[in-house]
Amino acid sequence: MNLLKKCCSCFRKKTDGTSTSTSHQLSDPTTDFKGQPRLPTFAVPIRYDIQLKPDLAACKFEGIVSIFVNIVADTRFIVLNAAAQLHINSDSVYFSDPNSNKVFEKPKVGKVEADEILVLEFSETLPKGMGVLTIGFEGVLNDKMKGFYISTYDHNGQKKNMAVTQFEPAYARQCFPCWDEPSFKAKFNIALLDVPSELVTLSNMPVGEEELNGNLKTVYYQESPVMSTYLVAVVIGLFDYIEDHTPDGIKVRVYSQVGKANQGKFALHVALQTLGFYKDYFQMPYSLPKLDMVAIPDFAFGAMENYGLVTYRETDLLFDDHHSAAANKQRVATVVAHELAHQWFGNLVTMEWWTDLWLNEGFATWMSYMAKDKLFPEWKIWTQFFDHESSEGLRLDGLAKSHPIEVEVNHASEIDEIFDTISYKKGASIIQMLKGYVGGPHFQNSLATYIKRHAWSNARTNDLWAVLKEECNEPTIDKIMNSWTKQEGYPVLSVKMKNQTLEIKQSRFLYAGSHDRCQWIIPITYCCGDYDSLISLLMEKKSETYDIKDLLSNITDPARSWIKLNVEQIGFFRVKYDDGLAAKLRYAIEHKCLSVTDRLGILDDSFALCMAREMSLTSLLTFMAAYREELEHTVLSNLIKIIGKIERIVADARPELMNYIKQFFIGLLLPAAANFGWDPKQGESHLDAMSRGDIFTALAVLGHEETINEANSRFNAFLNDRNTPLLHPDIRKAAYVAVMQKVTSSNKAGLESLLKVYRETDLSQEKTRILGSLASCPDESVVYEALNFALSSEVRKQDAVFGLAVSKEGREVAWKWLKNNWDKIRTTYGSGLLLTRFVGPIVSSFASSDKMKEIGKFFGNRTQASMVRTLKQSMEQIYINSKWVQTIRNDKDLAEAVKKLANK
């Protein structure tokens, strides 16, 4: 069967559909539709019947789609999406009216490649009501990890191809002509034609019928419920799988490369339990008869929530009991729980437009913590929420070049930019704040009502606020939350104690240091001396005062004289205490009077205030000394991040103090290192297992000789025996980093040994551990070599960014490497998120205005739409760093303070 009888292209614009053209033969059909942010709505898709015939050997495909369309207004036009890469034969396009059996053939076909729209102009007005648009097309199975693409794998020593789809946010149009916007939900009937019979073929729905023809097969899938185009999925390849069923009969499978099926057991367990938890939480069962989860070797994102067919990077789905670390286990649970949350938040109820992306990603991120807490309470996952989500959200949102959660998207090329920390992490954080304000049971009931009300449909942020107002009897919810979703940034609360009265003032926090006139309605909690005295209030003005003499009247113990705002870091804001309140909090931290999350939050706020030049580095370092005996994972994790950033900024500002700084930081971490030791302890916690690797990695980077020597000794044992207990997966990253600290251009034995391990292992997690260690070497020439390796054919494209973890000594050579290889990077990765990930890690580490000018000049004519915001944010970070360097150079007390701290 020749499927190429028809053609299609991409174009779009908003109009009433009638056009002012008088000549069908002479007019340009695209004239009224160019440059519009959305497709017109005079024709609405109801159902797609799609036949795809992929050729995995030739890396191409052909197909035909019949789209059942409802014509709702008088028009001679049909406007839909099709990418420039999708070839359409104009003679193949026709529209048929089932009521009259009339066929409208040979429309004028126009294409606007910049807008990815296809405009079909027919010679006469189309009849209102249901009709069928048929288009034939062909395309290339690309290597860019988006649209319909090829992923490669090894099987019995041979390189094989598999075909995979990645349609979010707007890449379905690269595979078939469609209304590629989330609001145009429709049903899908999908068929895969002439596929080699030995291959596994998967789509969103179960197989309805399969026809064998020699060594080929054609597979027809059951009709899907209504869904958006970005959730349509197809996977074709050679796989093993394991399966189980939920108590209500949902078949769940985990697919992996042949020979790796057992590595899917943990993900299968998480999926089965999570589906049950979400069913109860949302009071709505999973809506499809099956759920497939597939590990894809080449995959741009962590995972993709395709309805009923979730695709993952191998590192985020597979877990090896012998060679994966505790952090890998948590990562798999996190990603699986996140993607399955999308089956409700995103798939069943879908954002109306990308402006409300946070309704998908913020909620999926937050719900993943709910699920993990239910499945693994021993992980104390909510203590990690602030470090992994809120802290990162606060970091990016402290930039002037941030954006609101609800951000206007005026073109498909802008969508990639908002798949960022704001949509995911700030979104999740304000959800946590809102839950804390209205209460857990009210919040859960509201979400269940929201899901039920908007199931199989689309929703906007205001729809969620409307439900919360009803269910929680909180008429001002929308007013409160609009101050968090419609304006960028967040407040810092400046707190002073005066005559037993708390004075609180809010202003926008910016690392650049200038506070503007923004104002938020802020749910605040605080307590005095203990957690039994918790007070909750709503701050609606720029400044307010609170009488707390009753709370202070019974406090005589110095350890209980502290006051903590933002209890358990529920609110998305920072707090700046006056000197007296800060001193009491330090005392409380030293004496372990505060919770883990509050110790973490105070540390994170203090560092941010220092970077914003509202706290001296001397004060910050002195405050950090209170954490010398800290053993809790989340606090240590944050402390290690801060240590790394301070070490780099001091290297730029006061290099003569580096040895003292390192000595102080090593002293901060050694008590924890001694507590955890190198080897796992029987019965130790999941968090302690993760801390061990973090601590020894940090000590290796700081140049602690004892750590480096011990790690190298254990690595040598590992080279002789890959199963030695001396190098547990939890400490392998630390050992690899330690090995690289001794590598030089004249002695590359350690590098060569690591590359040998890289080439021998087939475990993706092991490969990324090694890749993330290579550029930590202090030797510039070795860093350059490591970066070249990251861009080589030995490294899968999505993994190259792991190789950008460059030592402070290698920053300049990394920038040189980026410039020299930019054309290759851009050609390899095209546009989109993967391209932007090469910019931030390298560019934002600098701290001089001259470097900012040099970078700006280089990217002046090399910027693409998807990287504009990232580049601006990186340039702003350089400016912030440069101002911070100047402040540190002017800190007259720093040298003496650092020497004292180092010698303690």
Side-chain angles (χ1 to χ4, degrees):
M1 172 181 183
N2 182 4
L3 299 177
L4 300 178
K5 294 179 179 176
K6 320 197 175 180
C7 275
C8 161
S9 227
C10 307
F11 319 103
R12 57 185 202 187
K13 174 163 184 176
K14 223 164 195 177
T15 182
D16 63 3
T18 58
S19 178
T20 57
S21 300
T22 58
S23 170
H24 175 64
Q25 297 299 321
L26 298 177
S27 65
D28 177 0
T30 70
T31 300
D32 291 334
F33 303 100
K34 293 179 180 178
Q36 299 300 307
R38 305 284 294 272
L39 291 171
T41 57
F42 44 75
V44 179
I46 304 300
R47 191 184 87 202
Y48 294 81
D49 290 350
I50 306 171
Q51 294 183 337
L52 292 173
K53 183 181 178 182
D55 185 335
L56 274 63
C59 295
K60 62 183 181 181
F61 65 93
E62 55 188 42
I64 189 167
V65 60
S66 295
I67 310 172
F68 290 74
V69 179
N70 186 18
I71 306 296
V72 297
D74 290 334
T75 182
R76 291 187 292 108
F77 295 89
I78 293 181
V79 184
L80 65 165
N81 294 114
Q85 303 94 317
L86 193 67
H87 174 70
I88 306 299
N89 179 352
S90 300
D91 293 336
S92 73
V93 182
Y94 66 92
F95 181 87
S96 58
D97 177 12
N99 295 319
S100 64
N101 293 323
K102 183 174 181 179
V103 177
F104 299 76
E105 295 183 300
K106 297 184 179 180
K108 192 166 186 178
V109 178
K111 178 188 265 188
V112 182
E113 294 189 0
D115 295 331
E116 296 188 320
I117 61 170
L118 175 68
V119 180
L120 309 176
E121 181 182 2
F122 293 87
S123 59
E124 55 186 301
T125 300
L126 300 174
K128 288 184 181 179
M130 196 66 66
V132 181
L133 175 66
T134 302
I135 305 173
F137 54 89
E138 63 180 358
V140 173
L141 293 169
N142 69 78
D143 62 353
K144 307 298 184 186
M145 294 180 287
K146 58 186 178 183
F148 201 10
Y149 74 91
I150 282 289
S151 177
T152 62
Y153 61 100
D154 291 322
H155 180 64
N156 293 333
Q158 289 186 317
K159 185 177 180 180
K160 300 281 189 178
N161 288 341
M162 66 173 70
V164 186
T165 57
Q166 170 60 48
F167 289 164
E168 189 179 33
Y171 302 131
R173 63 191 68 178
Q174 293 187 10
C175 182
F176 59 95
C178 57
W179 278 257
D180 201 11
E181 295 179 4
S183 62
F184 289 108
K185 285 191 164 185
K187 296 181 178 181
F188 290 83
N189 288 303
I190 296 174
L192 297 175
L193 280 61
D194 294 346
V195 178
S197 56
E198 74 274 11
L199 299 183
V200 174
T201 58
L202 303 171
S203 189
N204 304 87
M205 297 298 290
V207 172
E209 183 182 352
E210 185 171 307
E211 299 175 353
L212 289 175
N213 182 17
N215 61 351
L216 299 176
K217 63 182 177 181
T218 293
V219 185
Y220 300 91
Y221 296 91
Q222 296 176 19
E223 184 174 274
S224 78
V226 294
M227 62 181 179
S228 303
T229 49
Y230 77 87
L231 296 169
V232 175
V234 167
V235 174
I236 305 166
L238 199 60
F239 295 100
D240 277 346
Y241 70 86
I242 55 173
E243 74 173 33
D244 205 339
H245 293 77
T246 65
D248 48 353
I250 304 299
K251 181 188 291 184
V252 182
R253 286 181 173 178
V254 176
Y255 287 85
S256 62
Q257 289 186 55
V258 174
K260 294 186 177 183
N262 284 338
Q263 295 179 25
K265 287 182 178 179
F266 178 67
L268 181 62
H269 166 74
V270 171
L272 291 167
Q273 299 301 311
T274 299
L275 286 175
F277 172 70
Y278 289 159
K279 174 186 175 182
D280 294 340
Y281 190 89
F282 293 128
Q283 300 169 34
M284 176 78 74
Y286 174 69
S287 50
L288 297 185
K290 62 94 174 175
L291 172 69
D292 294 327
M293 305 195 299
V294 190
I296 306 297
D298 300 284
F299 200 79
F301 298 90
M304 176 59 209
E305 66 269 18
N306 312 301
Y307 220 165
L309 177 56
V310 185
T311 44
Y312 297 80
R313 284 192 187 193
E314 288 190 337
T315 54
D316 293 336
L317 185 67
L318 305 182
F319 179 81
D320 186 305
D321 289 327
H322 301 291
H323 297 286
S324 296
N328 298 133
K329 190 172 193 177
Q330 183 170 305
R331 173 66 180 172
V332 169
T334 296
V335 178
V336 170
H338 179 106
E339 301 310 320
L340 298 197
H342 276 309
Q343 306 302 304
W344 285 262
F345 260 99
N347 299 6
L348 185 60
V349 180
T350 310
M351 75 229 151
E352 195 275 337
W353 179 238
W354 298 103
T355 292
D356 293 303
L357 174 66
W358 83 280
L359 288 177
N360 281 20
E361 300 303 347
F363 269 95
T365 300
W366 181 79
M367 281 304 304
S368 73
Y369 281 81
M370 295 291 290
K372 286 181 290 183
D373 188 49
K374 177 70 174 179
L375 271 61
F376 307 104
E378 70 276 11
W379 289 5
K380 301 178 182 177
I381 203 68
W382 286 111
T383 68
Q384 300 183 55
F385 181 86
F386 180 81
D387 187 41
H388 293 170
E389 312 302 336
S390 300
S391 175
E392 291 300 306
L394 290 164
R395 180 191 58 78
L396 180 58
D397 211 26
L399 299 177
K401 298 300 182 182
S402 181
H403 64 82
I405 285 178
E406 294 183 71
V407 59
E408 288 301 318
V409 177
N410 296 312
H411 195 277
S413 64
E414 300 173 5
I415 301 171
D416 274 340
E417 280 194 301
I418 62 171
F419 279 82
D420 66 358
T421 295
I422 301 301
S423 297
Y424 285 74
K425 297 177 183 290
K426 182 181 180 180
S429 299
I430 69 159
I431 291 165
Q432 177 72 342
M433 180 173 67
L434 179 57
K435 171 180 172 278
Y437 177 67
V438 303
H442 284 307
F443 193 65
Q444 180 181 350
N445 290 335
S446 298
L447 294 188
T449 300
Y450 169 83
I451 291 288
K452 183 177 181 180
R453 183 174 298 177
H454 298 285
W456 309 115
S457 186
N458 297 87
R460 304 184 185 198
T461 298
N462 285 340
D463 295 318
L464 178 61
W465 301 157
V467 172
L468 281 158
K469 287 165 71 173
E470 296 170 17
E471 294 290 326
C472 304
N473 194 26
E474 288 281 355
T476 61
I477 283 288
D478 53 348
K479 181 181 178 183
I480 295 170
M481 296 310 297
N482 283 344
S483 72
W484 296 94
T485 64
K486 291 186 180 298
Q487 65 178 343
E488 63 192 31
Y490 59 86
V492 55
L493 303 187
S494 299
V495 185
K496 296 181 180 180
M497 173 73 84
K498 194 172 184 180
N499 299 325
Q500 296 188 315
T501 298
L502 275 184
E503 296 181 355
I504 305 178
K505 294 182 180 180
Q506 63 161 293
S507 58
R508 182 179 176 185
F509 179 86
L510 286 170
Y511 287 108
S514 58
H515 294 170
D516 60 15
R517 298 179 180 179
C518 295
Q519 184 173 331
W520 289 262
I521 302 175
I522 311 170
I524 294 177
T525 54
Y526 68 89
C527 56
C528 303
D530 59 53
Y531 288 90
D532 296 329
S533 62
L534 182 68
I535 303 295
S536 299
L537 52 93
L538 198 63
M539 183 176 181
E540 301 186 61
K541 300 177 181 178
K542 289 285 284 185
S543 62
E544 296 186 8
T545 58
Y546 304 98
D547 187 342
I548 60 170
K549 59 178 177 290
D550 290 340
L551 291 174
L552 298 174
S553 59
N554 296 322
I555 297 179
T556 56
D557 181 0
R560 294 185 59 242
S561 63
W562 50 268
I563 297 171
K564 172 67 172 65
L565 264 72
N566 198 13
V567 178
E568 301 296 348
Q569 301 301 124
I570 297 297
F572 192 77
F573 54 85
R574 297 200 183 278
V575 181
K576 180 183 179 183
Y577 299 93
D578 67 21
D579 291 343
L581 292 173
K584 291 178 179 180
L585 284 171
R586 177 182 173 177
Y587 183 89
I589 290 167
E590 288 176 329
H591 291 80
K592 299 295 188 292
C593 300
L594 299 181
S595 71
V596 173
T597 309
D598 281 335
R599 297 200 303 274
L600 167 60
I602 293 169
L603 176 63
D604 197 73
D605 284 352
S606 299
F607 173 72
L609 290 166
C610 183
M611 184 184 287
R613 306 182 312 284
E614 295 190 25
M615 173 188 281
S616 69
L617 183 57
T618 297
S619 297
L620 175 62
L621 295 174
T622 303
F623 189 79
M624 288 172 66
Y627 292 84
R628 191 180 298 273
E629 303 297 324
E630 185 62 63
L631 296 176
E632 289 289 344
H633 170 73
T634 49
V635 185
L636 285 171
S637 174
N638 194 270
L639 183 65
I640 288 168
K641 291 179 198 172
I642 290 171
I643 284 172
K645 291 174 182 177
I646 292 176
E647 187 195 14
R648 289 187 175 227
I649 206 71
V650 171
D652 289 328
R654 303 285 292 273
E656 75 278 7
L657 298 179
M658 280 302 296
N659 288 337
Y660 296 106
I661 284 284
K662 287 184 177 183
Q663 189 176 336
F664 168 54
F665 287 156
I666 289 169
L668 277 183
L669 299 179
L670 281 178
N675 177 78
F676 297 124
W678 283 94
D679 300 304
K681 298 180 176 66
Q682 188 173 2
E684 72 178 359
S685 72
H686 168 78
L687 296 179
D688 285 354
M690 291 202 298
S691 292
R692 176 178 295 109
D694 292 347
I695 287 291
F696 286 115
T697 301
L699 286 170
V701 171
L702 288 167
H704 185 236
E705 279 298 322
E706 184 178 334
T707 296
I708 291 172
N709 291 336
E710 178 66 18
N712 273 269
S713 175
R714 289 171 179 262
F715 177 69
N716 289 331
F718 176 70
L719 288 177
N720 294 324
D721 177 9
R722 296 293 194 271
N723 296 309
T724 177
L726 291 175
L727 200 66
H728 190 276
D730 290 331
I731 60 168
R732 285 186 194 172
K733 175 67 178 293
Y736 300 159
V737 169
V739 166
M740 290 307 301
Q741 302 312 298
K742 288 194 168 187
V743 173
T744 64
S745 56
S746 59
N747 181 7
K748 296 182 181 179
L751 172 63
E752 291 163 0
S753 295
L754 279 171
L755 292 178
K756 183 175 187 292
V757 176
Y758 181 95
R759 287 161 180 149
E760 290 176 356
T761 185
D762 67 347
L763 184 67
S764 297
Q765 292 160 350
E766 191 75 271
K767 287 182 181 291
T768 56
R769 272 196 292 262
I770 294 170
L771 196 58
S773 307
L774 298 181
S776 68
C777 181
D779 188 297
E780 287 190 347
S781 63
V782 176
V783 169
Y784 201 93
E785 185 175 344
L787 292 170
N788 280 337
F789 177 76
L791 211 57
S792 73
S793 60
E794 292 191 68
V795 176
R796 292 191 183 271
K797 291 178 183 177
Q798 78 269 12
D799 293 336
V801 293
F802 290 109
L804 304 183
V806 174
S807 64
K808 63 181 182 297
E809 296 87 355
R811 287 178 292 175
E812 190 62 47
V813 76
W815 167 236
K816 178 182 177 182
W817 173 86
L818 185 66
K819 289 188 293 182
N820 291 345
N821 289 278
W822 182 249
D823 289 340
K824 178 181 179 181
I825 292 168
R826 188 170 55 182
T827 300
T828 302
Y829 292 90
S831 61
L833 288 174
L834 283 176
L835 184 65
T836 67
R837 290 172 185 166
F838 279 88
V839 177
I842 292 177
V843 170
S844 61
S845 65
F846 290 106
S848 76
S849 56
D850 289 342
K851 185 61 66 176
M852 186 164 62
K853 292 176 183 176
E854 178 188 341
I855 292 168
K857 182 178 180 180
F858 177 80
F859 283 112
N861 60 352
R862 294 179 172 91
T863 303
Q864 298 185 10
S866 60
M867 60 178 284
V868 169
R869 182 174 278 119
T870 297
L871 183 60
K872 288 180 178 178
Q873 291 167 347
S874 298
M875 299 288 276
E876 183 182 354
Q877 187 62 60
I878 298 173
Y879 172 80
I880 291 164
N881 292 344
S882 68
K883 294 297 183 184
W884 195 15
V885 163
Q886 293 174 20
T887 301
I888 293 171
R889 286 172 179 166
N890 295 331
D891 189 342
K892 297 179 180 179
D893 300 322
L894 181 61
E896 183 179 355
V898 169
K899 291 174 184 177
K900 286 182 179 179
L901 289 168
N903 291 326
K904 276 190 178 181

